[in-house]
Amino acid sequence: MPELAEVEWNRRQWNPGLHDQVTAVALHAEKRLFRGTVTSLLRRRLTGQKLVSSEARGKRMLFRFTGDGWLGLHLGMTGSLRVEKAEFDAGKHDHLVLRQAGRSLVFRDARQFGRIQFHNGAKAPDWWREEVPEIVSKSFDAKLVESFLKRHGKAPIKAVLLLQNGFSGIGNWMADEILWRAGILPRRPAGKLSKAERAAIFSETKFVAHESLSRIGRKGGDVPKTWLMHERWNQKGRCPKHGIPLRRATIGGRTTAWCAKCQR
DNA sequence: CAACCTGTTCGCCA
DNA sequence: ATGGCGAACAGGTT
């Protein structure tokens, strides 16, 4: 699930727990998810504290607690956040559960490509403060995209769109969606795109990010049927514009789908 | 049983 | 020093 808008959706799943005290912490300390994190500290510093606020940046989330506790979450490939009843029994892949009087806040991640970090201090942790502009912010502008594409000029544009220090929050399906809308073949080297094509990458990135984020709260929640996204999952996917079968190949290490007619 | 998967990180090479 | 690429990670699904 987890790309930009889905991350934001998951972040909100814990909103029912805002301003409530964490009465107990249950976690699977030996799991790879906690690599680099002192779980005993996490457990000790969150127990008895209140969840104050949360924020998402790209694919990362930060939950703030009283007592200077900061919980960083990344959903990886299969992570999700949800709320369960207070007395709910954690399943095999429910690697972190924050118990509150009225509910349990649950982090599940079967494949464990995600990550759980904890920091105790007055200021937000270093790993959160490193600045990569959010796509929906003003500082993500055409100039920034220009220089980023130039810097990675030899790599296929598809691979460049997946680099989180430039396109924060873009994942596999969003990258394909952007390229389809921009009319650009995923294998084209980023440095060989025309000025107009670079401008299209910029504006379609903004468009896809804004559109998908704006739909989270609404009923249905999903992006329109006319988006490539709905077609690219299965082998029989077809271009929403032309109805012809999508081409597919591994590019930038990931399965990539495109329309040979739309994209040049 | 084999292939595939919405992500990052590491080691190797240019 | 920087950039590009493929493998590895872990487990479920097709």
Side-chain angles (χ1 to χ4, degrees):
Chain A
M1 231 194 221
E3 293 179 36
L4 191 67
E6 291 111 323
V7 170
E8 175 62 13
W9 185 88
N10 274 274
R11 180 187 70 78
R12 295 182 190 186
Q13 299 312 296
W14 277 13
N15 280 356
L18 285 170
H19 317 302
D20 261 15
Q21 194 181 48
V22 174
T23 55
V25 175
L27 54 79
H28 300 152
E30 76 289 356
K31 294 296 184 182
R32 171 188 147 88
L33 275 173
F34 293 100
R35 58 197 178 278
T37 296
V38 184
T39 54
S40 57
L41 185 71
L42 186 162
R43 189 193 300 274
R44 187 159 14 106
R45 304 307 299 225
L46 287 191
T47 305
Q49 301 295 338
K50 285 180 185 170
L51 173 59
V52 173
S53 62
S54 65
E55 188 186 346
R57 283 188 195 167
K59 295 176 189 168
R60 311 174 58 187
M61 295 171 281
L62 185 67
F63 292 81
R64 184 177 190 172
F65 295 80
T66 55
D68 292 339
W70 308 82
L71 181 69
L73 300 181
H74 192 295
L75 299 173
M77 290 272 242
T78 52
S80 65
L81 299 188
R82 70 187 200 280
V83 166
E84 294 281 357
K85 290 183 180 152
E87 66 274 15
F88 139 91
D89 288 325
K92 179 162 83 156
H93 301 302
D94 296 327
H95 299 305
L96 177 66
V97 180
L98 305 183
R99 303 285 186 184
Q100 296 182 322
R103 69 196 69 77
S104 297
L105 307 178
V106 185
F107 176 107
R108 162 176 286 186
D109 185 3
R111 269 175 98 182
Q112 299 183 70
F113 288 1
R115 189 157 188 186
I116 300 174
Q117 290 172 286
F118 183 74
H119 170 74
N120 190 224
K123 282 193 303 181
D126 291 344
W127 43 259
W128 181 256
R129 288 187 297 157
E130 51 189 65
E131 275 304 327
V132 178
E134 289 299 281
I135 287 167
V136 296
S137 76
K138 250 193 137 175
S139 51
F140 183 89
D141 57 19
K143 269 226 156 50
L144 189 77
V145 170
E146 287 275 334
S147 66
F148 196 74
L149 296 196
K150 195 174 205 177
R151 168 141 61 104
H152 299 282
K154 298 236 169 104
I157 182 63
K158 167 69 187 269
V160 177
L161 284 168
L162 293 174
L163 295 172
Q164 298 301 296
N165 54 352
F167 294 88
S168 177
I170 299 301
N172 207 19
W173 79 254
M174 291 182 89
D176 283 0
E177 190 77 43
I178 291 162
L179 290 171
W180 178 66
R181 286 167 184 280
I184 298 168
L185 288 169
R187 263 196 239 277
R188 300 263 311 278
K192 294 230 169 129
L193 301 184
S194 70
K195 182 151 176 116
E197 288 170 332
R198 297 194 299 271
I201 292 287
F202 169 69
S203 60
E204 297 301 344
T205 299
K206 283 272 192 192
F207 175 79
V208 170
H210 274 110
E211 272 306 295
S212 51
L213 275 169
S214 78
R215 285 168 193 275
I216 300 173
R218 297 187 215 164
K219 228 188 331 185
D222 236 354
V223 299
K225 289 278 179 266
T226 54
W227 283 36
L228 182 71
M229 187 210 161
H230 301 290
E231 293 291 326
R232 65 178 294 289
W233 303 118
N234 58 20
Q235 294 294 328
K236 292 189 197 139
R238 288 170 177 274
C239 171
K241 269 187 204 149
H242 297 102
I244 63 173
L246 295 172
R247 305 286 305 275
R248 46 182 65 238
T250 299
I251 303 173
R254 320 303 306 278
T255 294
T256 300
W258 71 93
C259 170
K261 215 163 174 179
C262 292
Q263 297 167 252
R264 306 280 165 169

